[in-house]
Amino acid sequence: MSRLVYVLNGPNLNLLGKRQPHIYGSETLADVEAGCRTLAGELGLDIRFHQSNREYELIDWIHEARETAGAIVINPGAFTHTSIAILDALNAFEGIVIECHISNVHKRESFRHHSYVSLRADGVVAGFGTQGYALSLRRVAKLLDDAAKA
Ligand code: DQA
């Protein structure tokens, strides 16, 4: 399986570091991207890192990943709780899908407790802050390593 991983970020994550830092922390999305790139190098993964506030752009990147990538790590932001279209796109992707949330959504408002994306995700990370991205990439690398050995 391809060792290319799409790391996708949904709406408002461009404001990471400025937006509700008591919930999402002080690291910016650029910091998260830099951390992902360093770790991906150590794990032998290639990454494409994207953020959009537009649902269709996330869907287009998922379609792009279908052609080339072995895994998607996605923090869909609020689209997690609303988007059947993102679920449908992920269902059309055959590789590994990890759903990653910075905050512990289960400790928050009840509307955050349901995730459409979880119906497809192979694993879910929530409440580990921005460290969740690193944990997600480590899990992807493990699953790709296991698949290569099988
Ligand atoms: C989030 C949790 C979502 O409920 C919220 O809408 C976000 C960020 C997280 O990373 O904790 O935008 O996905």
Side-chain angles (χ1 to χ4, degrees), residues 2 6 14 20 41 48 50 56 100 107 109 119 126 134:
S2 163
Y6 273 59
N14 53 311
Q20 297 178 286
R48 303 266 184 283
H50 297 297
Y56 78 88
C100 175
K107 200 179 171 186
E109 303 95 324
L119 291 167

Side-chain angles (χ1 to χ4, degrees), residues 99-114:
E99 176 182 349
C100 175
H101 299 286
I102 297 164
S103 66
N104 180 0
V105 284
H106 299 290
K107 200 179 171 186
R108 301 180 64 194
E109 303 95 324
S110 59
F111 61 81
R112 295 185 204 276
H113 298 176
H114 177 262

Side-chain angles (χ1 to χ4, degrees), residues 15-33:
L15 296 180
L16 206 59
K18 297 177 205 138
R19 163 200 190 204
Q20 297 178 286
H22 57 291
I23 296 176
Y24 298 112
S26 57
E27 270 201 329
T28 65
L29 196 64
D31 295 331
V32 172
E33 178 173 359

Side-chain angles (χ1 to χ4, degrees), residues 61-80:
W61 286 320
I62 296 167
H63 292 177
E64 202 179 279
R66 272 185 94 227
E67 310 297 324
T68 52
I72 295 173
V73 172
I74 184 164
N75 181 348
F79 290 148
T80 308

